Amino acid sequence: MSVTSIPVLTIDGPSASGKGTVAERVARALGFHFLDSGALYRLTALSAMKHGVSLDDETRVAELAATLPAAFREGAVWLADEDVTDAIRAEAVGEGASKVAALPAVRAALFDRQRAYRQAPGLVADGRDMGTVIFPDAAAKVFLTASAEARAERRYKQLIEKGNSASLPALVADMQARDARDTARAVAPLKPAPDALLLDTTQMDIESAVQAVLAHYALCQARNK
Ligand code: DC
C-alpha cells in the first residue's frame, strides 16, 4: 500500500469546538490511528517553557519542535520520560501553543512529523490546517465550529468539573482572542478547506457530531469508488 492510498479523514476547527473528542471517537469507530496535532504545538510550548526559551525566539523554538521527544502511549502524552498529559492542557500552555503556532519555522519543523502519522489502515487527523496544509489530499475533510459562547461554556464546565475556578466572560474573551490570532496569522491560518464539510455543533451533542462525521466519511468513500 503506498502512503498516498492510506485514507485520511481531517477534522479542523477552533479550540473547544468539541473536535478533539469527536475526532478520537471517530478514529475508534473506524479503527484508524489518531493524530492530535494541537498536542504537538502544546508540547513545543511546554518544552520551551521548561528550557527557559522565549516563545518568540523562532529559531530556538523550532529547534525544540524538530527534536521533540514526544510520545503518545495508552491515552497519555509523554515528553521524554515525563507524563505531561495534564500539564499540556493548562491554559498557559494553550496560550503558549497559540503563540508558537504562529511561527513559520515551528510549523515547518512539525510538518514531516505530522505526515508520518499516516499509517495503515487509516488516520483521523485533528487540528487547524490538517485539510488545508498537512493532508490536502485527504479522503474526507470536516470543519467543526460552534459559537464562541457555546465553546466558552463547554470549557467553563470542564474547568469547574475539574475543581478549577473559572469566569465565563473571561473565557468568551479568551476564545475570541485566540480565534482572532489563529485566523489572522500569515502561515496556515484557521480556515476551512474549500472541500470540507462545515459542521456547526452549537446545538449538537457529541454523539450526533460523531455520527455526522462518520456519515460524511462514508459518503466520500462511496464517491471515490
Ligand atoms: O487544538 P489545541 O487547542 O490543542 O491547539 C493548541 C494551539 O495550537 C492552538 O492555539 C492552535 C494551534 N494549532 C495549530 O496552529 N495548528 C494545528 N494543526 C493544531 C493546533
Side-chain angles (χ1 to χ4, degrees):
M1 202 182 206
S2 73
V3 169
T4 49
S5 66
I6 298 172
V8 180
L9 165 59
T10 60
I11 305 184
D12 290 305
S15 55
S17 57
K19 86 195 140 58
T21 312
V22 171
E24 226 174 329
R25 287 204 200 171
V26 167
R28 217 177 303 138
L30 294 170
F32 281 9
H33 298 281
F34 173 58
L35 166 62
D36 173 2
S37 61
L40 294 175
Y41 290 95
R42 287 172 181 270
L43 284 163
T44 301
L46 181 65
S47 179
M49 290 164 167
K50 281 183 183 291
H51 285 90
V53 170
S54 161
L55 295 178
D56 51 19
D57 185 338
E58 184 163 2
T59 307
R60 290 195 64 202
V61 178
E63 273 165 22
L64 289 173
T67 55
L68 212 54
F72 298 87
R73 283 195 302 268
E74 291 141 25
V77 185
W78 296 80
L79 192 58
D81 52 8
E82 191 185 346
D83 182 344
V84 293
T85 315
D86 292 331
I88 61 162
R89 298 292 150 202
E91 285 300 302
V93 177
E95 276 293 307
S98 177
K99 286 185 186 139
V100 300
L103 306 173
V106 171
R107 303 200 74 88
L110 292 175
F111 186 81
D112 289 337
R113 184 190 285 255
Q114 293 175 86
R115 288 168 63 106
Y117 280 87
R118 187 174 197 164
Q119 286 174 20
L123 174 71
V124 175
D126 159 3
R128 302 293 191 286
D129 61 343
M130 298 295 101
T132 48
V133 177
I134 309 294
F135 302 109
D137 64 334
K141 302 178 185 179
V142 176
F143 193 84
L144 220 78
T145 53
S147 68
E149 289 73 16
R151 290 184 284 124
E153 221 161 275
R154 289 173 193 170
R155 181 63 51 84
Y156 179 80
K157 277 190 196 144
Q158 281 171 356
L159 289 168
I160 298 296
E161 268 164 25
K162 284 188 191 157
N164 297 307
S165 63
S167 141
L168 192 54
L171 284 170
V172 174
D174 278 0
M175 209 62 80
Q176 286 165 339
R178 200 174 304 177
D179 285 356
R181 190 158 54 220
D182 290 345
T183 311
R185 70 175 175 229
V187 275
L190 172 66
K191 65 159 195 251
D195 50 347
L197 169 80
L198 294 184
L199 196 63
D200 187 329
T201 67
T202 305
Q203 311 276 0
M204 224 184 232
D205 63 16
I206 295 284
E207 193 46 39
S208 318
V210 169
Q211 292 310 322
V213 173
L214 285 171
H216 179 63
Y217 181 70
L219 187 72
C220 292
Q221 286 298 81
R223 258 194 228 137
N224 289 338
K225 275 200 180 120

